[in-house]
mmCIF file with all atom_site columns, all heavy atoms in Angstrom:
data_model
loop_
_atom_site.group_PDB
_atom_site.id
_atom_site.type_symbol
_atom_site.label_atom_id
_atom_site.label_alt_id
_atom_site.label_comp_id
_atom_site.label_asym_id
_atom_site.label_entity_id
_atom_site.label_seq_id
_atom_site.pdbx_PDB_ins_code
_atom_site.Cartn_x
_atom_site.Cartn_y
_atom_site.Cartn_z
_atom_site.occupancy
_atom_site.B_iso_or_equiv
_atom_site.pdbx_formal_charge
_atom_site.auth_seq_id
_atom_site.auth_comp_id
_atom_site.auth_asym_id
_atom_site.auth_atom_id
_atom_site.pdbx_PDB_model_num
ATOM 1   N N   . ARG A 1 339 ? 24.010 14.995 -33.571 1.00 96.00 ? 628 ARG A N   1
ATOM 2   C CA  . ARG A 1 339 ? 23.215 15.211 -34.745 1.00 96.00 ? 628 ARG A CA  1
ATOM 3   C C   . ARG A 1 339 ? 23.812 14.437 -35.946 1.00 96.00 ? 628 ARG A C   1
ATOM 4   O O   . ARG A 1 339 ? 24.947 14.655 -36.306 1.00 96.00 ? 628 ARG A O   1
ATOM 5   C CB  . ARG A 1 339 ? 23.157 16.706 -35.106 1.00 96.00 ? 628 ARG A CB  1
ATOM 6   C CG  . ARG A 1 339 ? 22.219 17.487 -34.163 1.00 96.00 ? 628 ARG A CG  1
ATOM 7   C CD  . ARG A 1 339 ? 20.759 17.215 -34.458 1.00 96.00 ? 628 ARG A CD  1
ATOM 8   N NE  . ARG A 1 339 ? 19.872 17.933 -33.504 1.00 96.00 ? 628 ARG A NE  1
ATOM 9   C CZ  . ARG A 1 339 ? 18.578 17.675 -33.422 1.00 96.00 ? 628 ARG A CZ  1
ATOM 10  N NH1 . ARG A 1 339 ? 18.001 16.778 -34.179 1.00 96.00 ? 628 ARG A NH1 1
ATOM 11  N NH2 . ARG A 1 339 ? 17.852 18.301 -32.516 1.00 96.00 ? 628 ARG A NH2 1
ATOM 12  N N   . ILE A 1 368 ? 9.994  21.385 -24.139 1.00 98.00 ? 657 ILE A N   1
ATOM 13  C CA  . ILE A 1 368 ? 10.779 22.281 -23.282 1.00 98.00 ? 657 ILE A CA  1
ATOM 14  C C   . ILE A 1 368 ? 9.820  23.249 -22.596 1.00 98.00 ? 657 ILE A C   1
ATOM 15  O O   . ILE A 1 368 ? 8.806  23.671 -23.235 1.00 98.00 ? 657 ILE A O   1
ATOM 16  C CB  . ILE A 1 368 ? 11.826 23.084 -24.116 1.00 98.00 ? 657 ILE A CB  1
ATOM 17  C CG1 . ILE A 1 368 ? 12.842 22.114 -24.724 1.00 98.00 ? 657 ILE A CG1 1
ATOM 18  C CG2 . ILE A 1 368 ? 12.552 24.099 -23.255 1.00 98.00 ? 657 ILE A CG2 1
ATOM 19  C CD1 . ILE A 1 368 ? 13.731 22.776 -25.768 1.00 98.00 ? 657 ILE A CD1 1
ATOM 20  N N   . ILE A 1 425 ? 14.569 27.371 -17.376 1.00 98.00 ? 714 ILE A N   1
ATOM 21  C CA  . ILE A 1 425 ? 14.134 26.446 -18.449 1.00 98.00 ? 714 ILE A CA  1
ATOM 22  C C   . ILE A 1 425 ? 14.384 24.987 -18.010 1.00 98.00 ? 714 ILE A C   1
ATOM 23  O O   . ILE A 1 425 ? 15.347 24.715 -17.234 1.00 98.00 ? 714 ILE A O   1
ATOM 24  C CB  . ILE A 1 425 ? 14.957 26.744 -19.742 1.00 98.00 ? 714 ILE A CB  1
ATOM 25  C CG1 . ILE A 1 425 ? 14.457 25.879 -20.931 1.00 98.00 ? 714 ILE A CG1 1
ATOM 26  C CG2 . ILE A 1 425 ? 16.426 26.587 -19.550 1.00 98.00 ? 714 ILE A CG2 1
ATOM 27  C CD1 . ILE A 1 425 ? 15.040 26.334 -22.260 1.00 98.00 ? 714 ILE A CD1 1
ATOM 28  N N   . PHE A 1 427 ? 13.907 20.709 -19.512 1.00 98.00 ? 716 PHE A N   1
ATOM 29  C CA  . PHE A 1 427 ? 13.771 19.844 -20.687 1.00 98.00 ? 716 PHE A CA  1
ATOM 30  C C   . PHE A 1 427 ? 13.085 18.558 -20.277 1.00 98.00 ? 716 PHE A C   1
ATOM 31  O O   . PHE A 1 427 ? 13.580 17.842 -19.419 1.00 98.00 ? 716 PHE A O   1
ATOM 32  C CB  . PHE A 1 427 ? 15.179 19.555 -21.314 1.00 98.00 ? 716 PHE A CB  1
ATOM 33  C CG  . PHE A 1 427 ? 15.945 20.796 -21.649 1.00 98.00 ? 716 PHE A CG  1
ATOM 34  C CD1 . PHE A 1 427 ? 16.588 21.551 -20.671 1.00 98.00 ? 716 PHE A CD1 1
ATOM 35  C CD2 . PHE A 1 427 ? 15.977 21.262 -22.955 1.00 98.00 ? 716 PHE A CD2 1
ATOM 36  C CE1 . PHE A 1 427 ? 17.337 22.690 -21.006 1.00 98.00 ? 716 PHE A CE1 1
ATOM 37  C CE2 . PHE A 1 427 ? 16.682 22.374 -23.303 1.00 98.00 ? 716 PHE A CE2 1
ATOM 38  C CZ  . PHE A 1 427 ? 17.371 23.123 -22.292 1.00 98.00 ? 716 PHE A CZ  1
ATOM 39  N N   . PRO A 1 463 ? 21.945 26.541 -20.614 1.00 98.00 ? 752 PRO A N   1
ATOM 40  C CA  . PRO A 1 463 ? 20.716 25.807 -21.034 1.00 98.00 ? 752 PRO A CA  1
ATOM 41  C C   . PRO A 1 463 ? 20.057 26.376 -22.258 1.00 98.00 ? 752 PRO A C   1
ATOM 42  O O   . PRO A 1 463 ? 19.415 25.616 -23.010 1.00 98.00 ? 752 PRO A O   1
ATOM 43  C CB  . PRO A 1 463 ? 19.862 25.986 -19.786 1.00 98.00 ? 752 PRO A CB  1
ATOM 44  C CG  . PRO A 1 463 ? 20.329 27.230 -19.126 1.00 98.00 ? 752 PRO A CG  1
ATOM 45  C CD  . PRO A 1 463 ? 21.756 27.242 -19.323 1.00 98.00 ? 752 PRO A CD  1
ATOM 46  N N   . PHE A 1 464 ? 20.120 27.658 -22.527 1.00 98.00 ? 753 PHE A N   1
ATOM 47  C CA  . PHE A 1 464 ? 19.531 28.189 -23.756 1.00 98.00 ? 753 PHE A CA  1
ATOM 48  C C   . PHE A 1 464 ? 20.238 27.789 -25.016 1.00 98.00 ? 753 PHE A C   1
ATOM 49  O O   . PHE A 1 464 ? 19.653 27.571 -26.079 1.00 98.00 ? 753 PHE A O   1
ATOM 50  C CB  . PHE A 1 464 ? 19.340 29.707 -23.657 1.00 98.00 ? 753 PHE A CB  1
ATOM 51  C CG  . PHE A 1 464 ? 18.330 30.125 -22.705 1.00 98.00 ? 753 PHE A CG  1
ATOM 52  C CD1 . PHE A 1 464 ? 18.651 30.460 -21.362 1.00 98.00 ? 753 PHE A CD1 1
ATOM 53  C CD2 . PHE A 1 464 ? 16.983 30.160 -23.059 1.00 98.00 ? 753 PHE A CD2 1
ATOM 54  C CE1 . PHE A 1 464 ? 17.667 30.836 -20.476 1.00 98.00 ? 753 PHE A CE1 1
ATOM 55  C CE2 . PHE A 1 464 ? 15.973 30.521 -22.142 1.00 98.00 ? 753 PHE A CE2 1
ATOM 56  C CZ  . PHE A 1 464 ? 16.331 30.855 -20.825 1.00 98.00 ? 753 PHE A CZ  1
ATOM 57  N N   . ARG A 1 465 ? 21.543 27.668 -24.903 1.00 98.00 ? 754 ARG A N   1
ATOM 58  C CA  . ARG A 1 465 ? 22.326 27.096 -26.023 1.00 98.00 ? 754 ARG A CA  1
ATOM 59  C C   . ARG A 1 465 ? 21.957 25.648 -26.229 1.00 98.00 ? 754 ARG A C   1
ATOM 60  O O   . ARG A 1 465 ? 21.863 25.161 -27.377 1.00 98.00 ? 754 ARG A O   1
ATOM 61  C CB  . ARG A 1 465 ? 23.855 27.272 -25.781 1.00 98.00 ? 754 ARG A CB  1
ATOM 62  C CG  . ARG A 1 465 ? 24.725 26.828 -26.915 1.00 98.00 ? 754 ARG A CG  1
ATOM 63  C CD  . ARG A 1 465 ? 26.164 27.197 -26.700 1.00 98.00 ? 754 ARG A CD  1
ATOM 64  N NE  . ARG A 1 465 ? 26.368 28.652 -26.497 1.00 98.00 ? 754 ARG A NE  1
ATOM 65  C CZ  . ARG A 1 465 ? 27.516 29.252 -26.194 1.00 98.00 ? 754 ARG A CZ  1
ATOM 66  N NH1 . ARG A 1 465 ? 28.571 28.444 -26.078 1.00 98.00 ? 754 ARG A NH1 1
ATOM 67  N NH2 . ARG A 1 465 ? 27.574 30.498 -26.057 1.00 98.00 ? 754 ARG A NH2 1
ATOM 68  N N   . LEU A 1 466 ? 21.743 24.934 -25.147 1.00 98.00 ? 755 LEU A N   1
ATOM 69  C CA  . LEU A 1 466 ? 21.323 23.535 -25.274 1.00 98.00 ? 755 LEU A CA  1
ATOM 70  C C   . LEU A 1 466 ? 19.959 23.444 -25.939 1.00 98.00 ? 755 LEU A C   1
ATOM 71  O O   . LEU A 1 466 ? 19.698 22.572 -26.763 1.00 98.00 ? 755 LEU A O   1
ATOM 72  C CB  . LEU A 1 466 ? 21.263 22.859 -23.881 1.00 98.00 ? 755 LEU A CB  1
ATOM 73  C CG  . LEU A 1 466 ? 20.660 21.456 -23.823 1.00 98.00 ? 755 LEU A CG  1
ATOM 74  C CD1 . LEU A 1 466 ? 21.467 20.502 -24.644 1.00 98.00 ? 755 LEU A CD1 1
ATOM 75  C CD2 . LEU A 1 466 ? 20.533 21.011 -22.356 1.00 98.00 ? 755 LEU A CD2 1
ATOM 76  N N   . ALA A 1 467 ? 19.051 24.435 -25.610 1.00 98.00 ? 756 ALA A N   1
ATOM 77  C CA  . ALA A 1 467 ? 17.741 24.416 -26.223 1.00 98.00 ? 756 ALA A CA  1
ATOM 78  C C   . ALA A 1 467 ? 17.818 24.504 -27.743 1.00 98.00 ? 756 ALA A C   1
ATOM 79  O O   . ALA A 1 467 ? 17.114 23.798 -28.494 1.00 98.00 ? 756 ALA A O   1
ATOM 80  C CB  . ALA A 1 467 ? 16.882 25.519 -25.642 1.00 98.00 ? 756 ALA A CB  1
ATOM 81  N N   . GLU A 1 468 ? 18.701 25.388 -28.236 1.00 98.00 ? 757 GLU A N   1
ATOM 82  C CA  . GLU A 1 468 ? 18.860 25.524 -29.691 1.00 98.00 ? 757 GLU A CA  1
ATOM 83  C C   . GLU A 1 468 ? 19.369 24.219 -30.279 1.00 98.00 ? 757 GLU A C   1
ATOM 84  O O   . GLU A 1 468 ? 18.882 23.801 -31.359 1.00 98.00 ? 757 GLU A O   1
ATOM 85  C CB  . GLU A 1 468 ? 19.841 26.664 -29.972 1.00 98.00 ? 757 GLU A CB  1
ATOM 86  C CG  . GLU A 1 468 ? 20.147 26.840 -31.452 1.00 98.00 ? 757 GLU A CG  1
ATOM 87  C CD  . GLU A 1 468 ? 21.099 27.983 -31.734 1.00 98.00 ? 757 GLU A CD  1
ATOM 88  O OE1 . GLU A 1 468 ? 21.285 28.878 -30.873 1.00 98.00 ? 757 GLU A OE1 1
ATOM 89  O OE2 . GLU A 1 468 ? 21.657 28.016 -32.869 1.00 98.00 ? 757 GLU A OE2 1
ATOM 90  N N   . ALA A 1 469 ? 20.349 23.588 -29.617 1.00 98.00 ? 758 ALA A N   1
ATOM 91  C CA  . ALA A 1 469 ? 20.877 22.333 -30.084 1.00 98.00 ? 758 ALA A CA  1
ATOM 92  C C   . ALA A 1 469 ? 19.830 21.225 -30.092 1.00 98.00 ? 758 ALA A C   1
ATOM 93  O O   . ALA A 1 469 ? 19.796 20.427 -31.002 1.00 98.00 ? 758 ALA A O   1
ATOM 94  C CB  . ALA A 1 469 ? 22.084 21.921 -29.221 1.00 98.00 ? 758 ALA A CB  1
ATOM 95  N N   . VAL A 1 470 ? 18.992 21.185 -29.067 1.00 98.00 ? 759 VAL A N   1
ATOM 96  C CA  . VAL A 1 470 ? 17.993 20.147 -28.956 1.00 98.00 ? 759 VAL A CA  1
ATOM 97  C C   . VAL A 1 470 ? 16.882 20.356 -30.029 1.00 98.00 ? 759 VAL A C   1
ATOM 98  O O   . VAL A 1 470 ? 16.441 19.395 -30.697 1.00 98.00 ? 759 VAL A O   1
ATOM 99  C CB  . VAL A 1 470 ? 17.374 20.145 -27.541 1.00 98.00 ? 759 VAL A CB  1
ATOM 100 C CG1 . VAL A 1 470 ? 16.056 19.382 -27.525 1.00 98.00 ? 759 VAL A CG1 1
ATOM 101 C CG2 . VAL A 1 470 ? 18.357 19.560 -26.555 1.00 98.00 ? 759 VAL A CG2 1
ATOM 102 N N   . LEU A 1 471 ? 16.425 21.619 -30.208 1.00 97.00 ? 760 LEU A N   1
ATOM 103 C CA  . LEU A 1 471 ? 15.410 21.888 -31.188 1.00 97.00 ? 760 LEU A CA  1
ATOM 104 C C   . LEU A 1 471 ? 15.910 21.691 -32.585 1.00 97.00 ? 760 LEU A C   1
ATOM 105 O O   . LEU A 1 471 ? 15.131 21.358 -33.506 1.00 97.00 ? 760 LEU A O   1
ATOM 106 C CB  . LEU A 1 471 ? 14.852 23.279 -30.994 1.00 97.00 ? 760 LEU A CB  1
ATOM 107 C CG  . LEU A 1 471 ? 14.103 23.540 -29.667 1.00 97.00 ? 760 LEU A CG  1
ATOM 108 C CD1 . LEU A 1 471 ? 13.930 24.947 -29.358 1.00 97.00 ? 760 LEU A CD1 1
ATOM 109 C CD2 . LEU A 1 471 ? 12.771 22.776 -29.757 1.00 97.00 ? 760 LEU A CD2 1
ATOM 110 N N   . GLY A 1 472 ? 17.207 21.878 -32.808 1.00 94.00 ? 761 GLY A N   1
ATOM 111 C CA  . GLY A 1 472 ? 17.850 21.493 -34.064 1.00 94.00 ? 761 GLY A CA  1
ATOM 112 C C   . GLY A 1 472 ? 17.871 22.576 -35.126 1.00 94.00 ? 761 GLY A C   1
ATOM 113 O O   . GLY A 1 472 ? 17.050 23.523 -35.069 1.00 94.00 ? 761 GLY A O   1
ATOM 114 N N   . PRO A 1 473 ? 18.795 22.471 -36.049 1.00 93.00 ? 762 PRO A N   1
ATOM 115 C CA  . PRO A 1 473 ? 18.851 23.432 -37.126 1.00 93.00 ? 762 PRO A CA  1
ATOM 116 C C   . PRO A 1 473 ? 17.582 23.410 -37.985 1.00 93.00 ? 762 PRO A C   1
ATOM 117 O O   . PRO A 1 473 ? 17.025 22.379 -38.250 1.00 93.00 ? 762 PRO A O   1
ATOM 118 C CB  . PRO A 1 473 ? 20.071 22.998 -37.926 1.00 93.00 ? 762 PRO A CB  1
ATOM 119 C CG  . PRO A 1 473 ? 20.243 21.528 -37.578 1.00 93.00 ? 762 PRO A CG  1
ATOM 120 C CD  . PRO A 1 473 ? 19.774 21.408 -36.186 1.00 93.00 ? 762 PRO A CD  1
ATOM 121 N N   . SER A 1 475 ? 14.745 24.584 -37.103 1.00 94.00 ? 764 SER A N   1
ATOM 122 C CA  . SER A 1 475 ? 13.556 24.539 -36.335 1.00 94.00 ? 764 SER A CA  1
ATOM 123 C C   . SER A 1 475 ? 12.868 25.895 -36.167 1.00 94.00 ? 764 SER A C   1
ATOM 124 O O   . SER A 1 475 ? 11.730 26.012 -35.807 1.00 94.00 ? 764 SER A O   1
ATOM 125 C CB  . SER A 1 475 ? 13.837 23.967 -34.933 1.00 94.00 ? 764 SER A CB  1
ATOM 126 O OG  . SER A 1 475 ? 14.658 24.901 -34.176 1.00 94.00 ? 764 SER A OG  1
ATOM 127 N N   . TRP A 1 477 ? 14.048 28.036 -33.983 1.00 97.00 ? 766 TRP A N   1
ATOM 128 C CA  . TRP A 1 477 ? 14.174 28.339 -32.555 1.00 97.00 ? 766 TRP A CA  1
ATOM 129 C C   . TRP A 1 477 ? 15.632 28.515 -32.202 1.00 97.00 ? 766 TRP A C   1
ATOM 130 O O   . TRP A 1 477 ? 16.271 27.692 -31.519 1.00 97.00 ? 766 TRP A O   1
ATOM 131 C CB  . TRP A 1 477 ? 13.536 27.300 -31.664 1.00 97.00 ? 766 TRP A CB  1
ATOM 132 C CG  . TRP A 1 477 ? 12.070 27.320 -31.595 1.00 97.00 ? 766 TRP A CG  1
ATOM 133 C CD1 . TRP A 1 477 ? 11.191 26.530 -32.280 1.00 97.00 ? 766 TRP A CD1 1
ATOM 134 C CD2 . TRP A 1 477 ? 11.306 28.272 -30.826 1.00 97.00 ? 766 TRP A CD2 1
ATOM 135 N NE1 . TRP A 1 477 ? 9.925  26.920 -31.979 1.00 97.00 ? 766 TRP A NE1 1
ATOM 136 C CE2 . TRP A 1 477 ? 9.921  27.967 -31.087 1.00 97.00 ? 766 TRP A CE2 1
ATOM 137 C CE3 . TRP A 1 477 ? 11.604 29.335 -29.954 1.00 97.00 ? 766 TRP A CE3 1
ATOM 138 C CZ2 . TRP A 1 477 ? 8.891  28.675 -30.471 1.00 97.00 ? 766 TRP A CZ2 1
ATOM 139 C CZ3 . TRP A 1 477 ? 10.548 30.013 -29.329 1.00 97.00 ? 766 TRP A CZ3 1
ATOM 140 C CH2 . TRP A 1 477 ? 9.254  29.663 -29.598 1.00 97.00 ? 766 TRP A CH2 1
ATOM 141 N N   . PRO A 1 478 ? 16.285 29.640 -32.659 1.00 97.00 ? 767 PRO A N   1
ATOM 142 C CA  . PRO A 1 478 ? 17.695 29.828 -32.237 1.00 97.00 ? 767 PRO A CA  1
ATOM 143 C C   . PRO A 1 478 ? 17.645 30.264 -30.731 1.00 97.00 ? 767 PRO A C   1
ATOM 144 O O   . PRO A 1 478 ? 16.616 30.570 -30.160 1.00 97.00 ? 767 PRO A O   1
ATOM 145 C CB  . PRO A 1 478 ? 18.130 31.024 -33.122 1.00 97.00 ? 767 PRO A CB  1
ATOM 146 C CG  . PRO A 1 478 ? 16.862 31.721 -33.479 1.00 97.00 ? 767 PRO A CG  1
ATOM 147 C CD  . PRO A 1 478 ? 15.865 30.639 -33.577 1.00 97.00 ? 767 PRO A CD  1
ATOM 148 N N   . GLU A 1 479 ? 18.853 30.263 -30.125 1.00 97.00 ? 768 GLU A N   1
ATOM 149 C CA  . GLU A 1 479 ? 18.950 30.642 -28.710 1.00 97.00 ? 768 GLU A CA  1
ATOM 150 C C   . GLU A 1 479 ? 18.303 31.918 -28.367 1.00 97.00 ? 768 GLU A C   1
ATOM 151 O O   . GLU A 1 479 ? 17.585 32.045 -27.337 1.00 97.00 ? 768 GLU A O   1
ATOM 152 C CB  . GLU A 1 479 ? 20.437 30.664 -28.331 1.00 97.00 ? 768 GLU A CB  1
ATOM 153 C CG  . GLU A 1 479 ? 20.694 31.041 -26.891 1.00 97.00 ? 768 GLU A CG  1
ATOM 154 C CD  . GLU A 1 479 ? 22.185 31.082 -26.582 1.00 97.00 ? 768 GLU A CD  1
ATOM 155 O OE1 . GLU A 1 479 ? 23.008 30.688 -27.411 1.00 97.00 ? 768 GLU A OE1 1
ATOM 156 O OE2 . GLU A 1 479 ? 22.523 31.540 -25.447 1.00 97.00 ? 768 GLU A OE2 1
ATOM 157 N N   . GLU A 1 480 ? 18.449 32.953 -29.205 1.00 97.00 ? 769 GLU A N   1
ATOM 158 C CA  . GLU A 1 480 ? 17.918 34.296 -28.883 1.00 97.00 ? 769 GLU A CA  1
ATOM 159 C C   . GLU A 1 480 ? 16.358 34.215 -28.836 1.00 97.00 ? 769 GLU A C   1
ATOM 160 O O   . GLU A 1 480 ? 15.758 34.907 -27.973 1.00 97.00 ? 769 GLU A O   1
ATOM 161 C CB  . GLU A 1 480 ? 18.312 35.305 -29.956 1.00 97.00 ? 769 GLU A CB  1
ATOM 162 C CG  . GLU A 1 480 ? 19.830 35.575 -30.005 1.00 97.00 ? 769 GLU A CG  1
ATOM 163 C CD  . GLU A 1 480 ? 20.572 34.411 -30.659 1.00 97.00 ? 769 GLU A CD  1
ATOM 164 O OE1 . GLU A 1 480 ? 19.972 33.574 -31.306 1.00 97.00 ? 769 GLU A OE1 1
ATOM 165 O OE2 . GLU A 1 480 ? 21.859 34.413 -30.534 1.00 97.00 ? 769 GLU A OE2 1
ATOM 166 N N   . VAL A 1 482 ? 14.460 31.704 -28.032 1.00 98.00 ? 771 VAL A N   1
ATOM 167 C CA  . VAL A 1 482 ? 14.072 30.994 -26.809 1.00 98.00 ? 771 VAL A CA  1
ATOM 168 C C   . VAL A 1 482 ? 14.159 31.920 -25.588 1.00 98.00 ? 771 VAL A C   1
ATOM 169 O O   . VAL A 1 482 ? 13.316 31.918 -24.772 1.00 98.00 ? 771 VAL A O   1
ATOM 170 C CB  . VAL A 1 482 ? 14.901 29.707 -26.603 1.00 98.00 ? 771 VAL A CB  1
ATOM 171 C CG1 . VAL A 1 482 ? 14.487 28.987 -25.321 1.00 98.00 ? 771 VAL A CG1 1
ATOM 172 C CG2 . VAL A 1 482 ? 14.786 28.722 -27.803 1.00 98.00 ? 771 VAL A CG2 1
#
Side-chain angles (χ1 to χ4, degrees):
R628 285 286 176 191
I657 297 171
I714 186 170
F716 303 80
F753 288 95
R754 186 172 299 177
L755 173 62
E757 178 179 341
V759 164
L760 293 166
S764 68
W766 284 101
E768 178 181 351
E769 294 76 13
V771 179

